[in-house]
Every structure is written in structure tokens, then in C-alpha cells.
Amino acid sequence: MANRKIGAQTVRFENRPYIIGRGNIGGKKEGEGPIADSFDQILDDDMFEEKSWEKAECKMLEAAMEKAMKRAQLEKENIDIMLCGDLVNQIMTSSFAARDLHIPFLGLYGACSTMTESLAIGSMLVDGGFARSILAGASSHFCTAERQFRMPVEHGNQRPTSAQWTATAAGAVVVSEWPHGITKGMSVVRVCEATIGKVMDAGIRDANQMGAAMAPAAVDTLLNHLQDTKRDIDYYDLVVTGDLGYIGKEIMSDLLADAGLNRKKIFSHYDDCGTMLYSKEQDVHGGGSGCGCSASVFAGKLLKDMEQGKYRRILLMSTGALLSTISPFQGESIPGIAHAVALEVE
Amino acid sequence: MEYIWAFVIGGIWCVIGQILMDGTKLTAPRILVIFVVTGVVLQALDLYQPLVDLAGNGATVPLPGFGYNLAKGAMEGAKKGFLEAVTGPVNVTAAGVAAAITFGYIVSLFFSPKSPKR
Amino acid sequence: MLQISEEQNKEKEKQKKEIGKAYGKYAKQFTPKPKYFSNCVKAFLTGGIICVAALAVQNRLQAAGISEKDAGAFVTMGLVILAQLLTGLGIFDVIAKHAGAGVIVPITGFANSMVAPAIEFKKEGPVLGVGSKLFTVAGPVLVCGISAATVTGIIYWFIEKF
């Protein structure tokens, strides 16, 4: 059997699974941002006509998944496995969405890195012949995350300048062994490689410094990916991290330059989903964050741009801060993680 | 004159709070605790009463004033006996605390949280 | 042998802490500074205005023949109820965003800190949801404040007695 592992942390997919469907959904604030038109649906009210925010997030994830399946022209019976995760305790959103959708389900938790975690594992399953089509997705909701990890929403506290805004959004894609429903001449995105990241901890303790806490993990994963694949950063039209935000993006660029990468190339080939989702006027301080940030930007803007030929190769690196609700109170620092998935248009 | 002192003293407490919020990693709950305990300690050392005499509500409305009231109740009670020393703090602040609990409960049951507009 | 490994562990822990500190400092370069001055001015003004308004009401009540102590209690109750109502209406956090400590340090901040967590836990029920969450922030304040004051009372009682 051919070994698909290359280098230290990377797998190369032999059959290059196809991304044949995508769906995303955003909250009100996301709908007022610069990439509002890349959303399939935008909510007028973040409650989504539900009784609790958790229910609303669940409904959002389902909506994104259903849209992805519709685009792929598949029924849920055709989906072998659904892989997803979120930020609510014990990944409640994903499990409850899976309860309603009734698809075999693998729940994942990688904090905000869940989108690439699910995409990487899903692609492995498809590439290895263990599944024909899978659903990969992630979601987050400002109100469910905020009340769990930080302060109550109505509490009159001021957000520090480095605080990031948890996106109220969900995104999902269908990955399949066969370009189902894609006719000749249409461009289709394929998954080429995936690099699984190591947990890195630089000792940041401040839960309002997420970008800084996650940047070292993103740097480590990217450098390993480039080494494993023997590529330079400009092999990709765009290297995009999940939710480092404005501060994390600058730290990442600086650390990459320190590691010997060309500053100009970094500047022109690297961006961050957290800085794309909102405009600076929206008062989000450090930029966007949350599972839904990279999931919705990827399943919306990035894949759309690829289909339209704006980008040929993208390296998506969702980044996660693996803190728990109790770890900061016990004085633990915040570990970060990042997984990379290389995508190419065909 | 009383109004000016109320404004200045009340304002200064808030500025101290703001500096703690911006300059340190202390979160709002911790700052509230620090302020109340500060008020208790200052009054225990007989340092807060002059401030109240000077600024009135300017010294009692900020949270150290809550601590001041608690300590004052205890100190006045101590003059009467042991039991009064123990019940004093809760006794003098009972109106505010009871109102906060009861009305807070009613408000929480009646209203729903809004998705932030910030 | 055991001692050595313990020492090594400590050394490692220390090193880790130092790396964390250095990295934190490095990350701070990229973090925009809060607007200390304008934040403080806003806090000073709002805090001052709240205190002056409280004093005005207090004086009005006292002029109407209510004792100083009772008037003080009415003022406190009024501020608490107003702050909680504004929290319920979703206005308090908008004000606090600008006023910062100006509304947090006065008793209004305490009132807000009770309703804010409770209101989010309505779905968890009126007893274990709202009933317990009312005290997530107010609890520590009451516990620390009342304990400190009670200890003060007992100390004073001792001094008084002996």
C-alpha cells in the first residue's frame, strides 16, 4: 500500500477528494461586514426565531449543512459521515444538529481550528476509501461562546483593544470521492494535502489575547507544511489563517519573517479570516474569531473565489485556542493549535 | 459646594476603577470585590467617615461606600453587643441588597438578553 | 535522585514562565494601547454625574422630611432598580461601553452584575438558572464584603469589651 504520509506531519491525498458542495450562514453583524455577499443566508436576528442561543446556533449549522448538500445535489442518505464541532460545552450544537439531520456523526473539538480538523479528517476518510461523501463543518455564535468563556452579554464591561469578536456564523462543505454534479468545464476544488498541527503554548494567560496565543501554533504548522511539501509560501496564491485577528496576523507575519521567509511574499500571500469578516468600523477590536469565522469565510468567500478563478491554490489554516472554561481560573496558559489543508482548483 | 465634592470624589473613585480596568488584567467582578473590601477596611480604620462627611453621596454611591456602610453597621453594632456586631453589616445594607435581589430577579424573569449591538 | 528531578521540574517551570513573559511582552508591541486619558475623563464625568444626581435626590427627599438614613436607602434602591431595568432593556451595556468604570464603580455596576448573568440563564429555569446565576458576580462581592465587615465588627466588639 502506498504510503500517503510525506515529511513529518503532512499527508498527501492520492485521490484528491472533491469539494462538491458548500454552504454558510452568518449573523446580523456578519451581514453588515465587507464580505456579506458571500453568505448564502444572513440572519435579521441572531436568535433565528428560536428560544435559546444554543438552539439558534444549532439551526444555523443545520442550515449551512443543508445548503452544502443541496449544492452537491446529494440527499442526506448519500452522506456517509458528518464531522463537525463548535465551542459550546461538550459540542452541544454539533451533536444536536446531528440528532436532527440523522447522519452518522463524528463530533470533533479543536476549538476554532475545527473547520480544518473536520476537513482534514473527512478528506482522509474519503481518500482512504472509508467513505464516499462526507460533510465537514463548524459553527460558533457570539452569545453562546461569550457567556461561556467570558462575561455575560449584558454585563457592562469594556472590551480590551485586543479582544476578538466571536463570529455568529456556520459553514459546511461536502467532500466526495467523485465530482458528483460537476459538469465538464466547471472548475472544482480538490483537497491535496493536509498538515496536522502540534499544540503550541507560548505562555499567554490573557483570554483577551487569543491571536497572540495561537500565532506560534500557526507558524509551526505552516513552516512544517512548507518543509514537508518542499514548497515556498508563494506556491499558494493565498495562505489564510482562521482567526488570528489583526494582532495575531501581525505577530504571525513577523515570526514568519524571523524564520527566514521573504517579507514581501508574506505580505502578498498571507491573510487571515478574522480580518476579512468584519470591517474596522464595526468595532470588533482585534477582529473575528470562533469556529464559524474560518468555516463561513472558507465555505463562502474563499471557495467562491476559487471557483471563479481568483485563486488557484489556497492553504487554509484554521487556528484554535484550546483553553477550557476552568483552565484560566487555575492559572493555566492558553495552548494553541492549527491544522493546514491545501486546496487546488481543477 | 457639597455638589462639587460629590462630583469630584465620585468621579475620582471611577477614575481609579478605570485605571484598574485598563491598566491591569483585573476583570470587573474582581474590581467590584476590591472596591467593596477597600471601603470596609478604610472605614474600619476610621478613614472613610471624613470622606462621607465631605462628599455625601459622592462617597456612598460608589462601591467603597457599600463597604463603608457594611463596616459602619458592624462598628455601631459592636458598641451594643456581640450579636449586634454580627448582624450590623447586613442590617444597615438590607434595603439595598433586598431591592437588588428582588428587583433583579423580577427583571431577569421578565426580560430577555439582547444580541449585542455594540 | 527524586530531589534532583524535582529541582529540574522547577527549573523547567521557571523557564517556561520566562518564555511566556518574554512572548507576552513581544505580543504587546502589536497590541494597540487603550485610550487611558479619554477613558478616564469619561469615567470621571459619568461617575460624578451619577453621584451628583444621587445627592440631589437625597437632598430633595430630606427636604420632604425623610430622615437621612431612610433617604439614603431610597436613593440606593432607586439607583439599583434603574440600573437593573436598563440592563434588562439592553441599554446598560451600551452606556457602559462608553462610560466604563463610570457606571461600574457606582452601585449601578453591582446591580448590573446581578441581572446580566441571570438574564442569560432563563432557559435553565427560574430556580437553578436565574436564581443561582443572580449571584455569579454579586456573590463574591457580598461574601467578601459581608465577611470583612463582620470580622471588623467582632474585632471592634473585642476592643469595646476589653
Side-chain angles (χ1 to χ4, degrees), chain B residues 1 5 7 10-12 19 32 36 52 55 60 66 70 98 103 107 111 114 117:
Chain B
M1 201 57 204
W5 279 118
F7 190 84
I12 286 174
I19 291 169
L32 298 187
V36 171
V52 175
T60 54
F66 182 58
L70 287 169
F103 197 73
V107 166
F111 291 92
K114 313 269 179 304
K117 313 138 277 285

Side-chain angles (χ1 to χ4, degrees), chain A residues 51-53 147 152-158 161-162 202-205 209 212-213 215-216 247 250-251 254-255 258 283, chain C residues 17 19-20 23-24 26-27 30-34 87 90 92-93 96-98 100 104 112-113 116-117 119-121 123-124:
Chain A
K51 282 197 184 112
S52 74
W53 284 325
R147 85 164 182 171
V153 175
E154 299 290 352
H155 193 273
N157 59 331
Q158 283 178 316
T161 49
S162 59
I204 294 278
R205 280 161 209 282
Q209 278 279 18
I247 297 165
E250 276 184 49
I251 293 176
D254 200 54
L255 289 174
D258 283 350
D283 202 19
Chain C
K17 233 177 205 169
I19 293 172
Y23 181 68
Y26 167 75
F30 299 94
T31 314
K33 298 250 173 320
T87 307
F92 193 93
D93 60 326
K97 182 181 182 281
H98 298 287
I104 295 201
N112 163 253
S113 75
I119 201 170
E120 289 195 343
F121 281 81
K123 290 283 133 12
E124 283 79 352

Side-chain angles (χ1 to χ4, degrees), chain B residues 100-101 104-105 108, chain C residues 113-115 117-118 129-139:
Chain B
I101 292 173
Y105 193 50
S108 304
Chain C
S113 75
M114 294 183 80
V115 174
V130 178
S132 69
K133 294 295 170 188
L134 212 48
F135 288 96
T136 39
V137 182

Side-chain angles (χ1 to χ4, degrees), chain A residues 42-246:
Chain A
I42 285 164
L43 307 182
D44 305 325
D45 175 22
D46 290 352
M47 211 63 162
F48 207 175
E49 291 147 18
E50 284 291 340
K51 282 197 184 112
S52 74
W53 284 325
E54 284 75 12
K55 277 204 173 89
E57 187 183 336
C58 191
K59 197 170 163 187
M60 286 174 72
L61 183 59
E62 280 173 39
M65 300 222 145
E66 260 155 21
K67 187 79 201 171
M69 286 189 278
K70 204 173 161 199
R71 276 226 177 82
Q73 297 168 20
L74 289 177
E75 296 297 318
K76 54 186 182 182
E77 289 75 26
N78 304 120
I79 305 289
D80 295 320
I81 303 168
M82 136 182 187
L83 301 105
C84 60
D86 56 88
L87 294 174
V88 184
N89 279 335
Q90 284 82 34
I91 53 168
M92 172 179 165
T93 308
S94 303
S95 311
F96 284 38
R99 176 182 70 181
D100 297 342
L101 289 171
H102 228 67
I103 300 171
F105 167 63
L106 285 173
L108 303 173
Y109 186 80
C112 314
S113 71
T114 307
M115 189 62 230
T116 45
E117 188 182 358
S118 59
L119 186 60
I121 298 174
S123 302
M124 288 178 197
L125 290 173
V126 171
D127 192 53
F130 302 104
R132 276 180 213 95
S133 299
I134 62 104
L135 256 173
S139 75
S140 63
H141 193 299
F142 179 85
C143 297
T144 61
E146 202 73 3
R147 85 164 182 171
Q148 193 177 300
F149 286 104
R150 296 188 191 97
M151 277 281 134
V153 175
E154 299 290 352
H155 193 273
N157 59 331
Q158 283 178 316
R159 303 167 62 77
T161 49
S162 59
Q164 286 178 255
W165 190 274
T166 306
T168 305
V173 291
V174 175
V175 180
S176 184
E177 58 172 2
W178 194 246
H180 184 90
I182 308 278
T183 48
K184 244 187 184 166
M186 262 168 89
S187 56
V188 57
V189 179
R190 301 182 75 166
V191 188
C192 307
E193 285 104 12
T195 303
I196 306 299
K198 293 191 288 255
V199 175
M200 302 284 283
D201 193 334
I204 294 278
R205 280 161 209 282
D206 185 356
N208 283 315
Q209 278 279 18
M210 291 297 196
M214 297 186 289
V219 171
D220 184 71
T221 303
L222 178 56
L223 292 177
N224 272 304
H225 176 82
L226 296 178
Q227 199 184 0
D228 289 348
T229 55
K230 302 190 179 62
R231 288 170 186 162
D232 196 2
I233 188 167
D234 60 358
Y235 175 83
Y236 296 101
D237 299 316
L238 187 68
V239 172
V240 57
T241 46
D243 58 349
L244 295 183
Y246 296 107

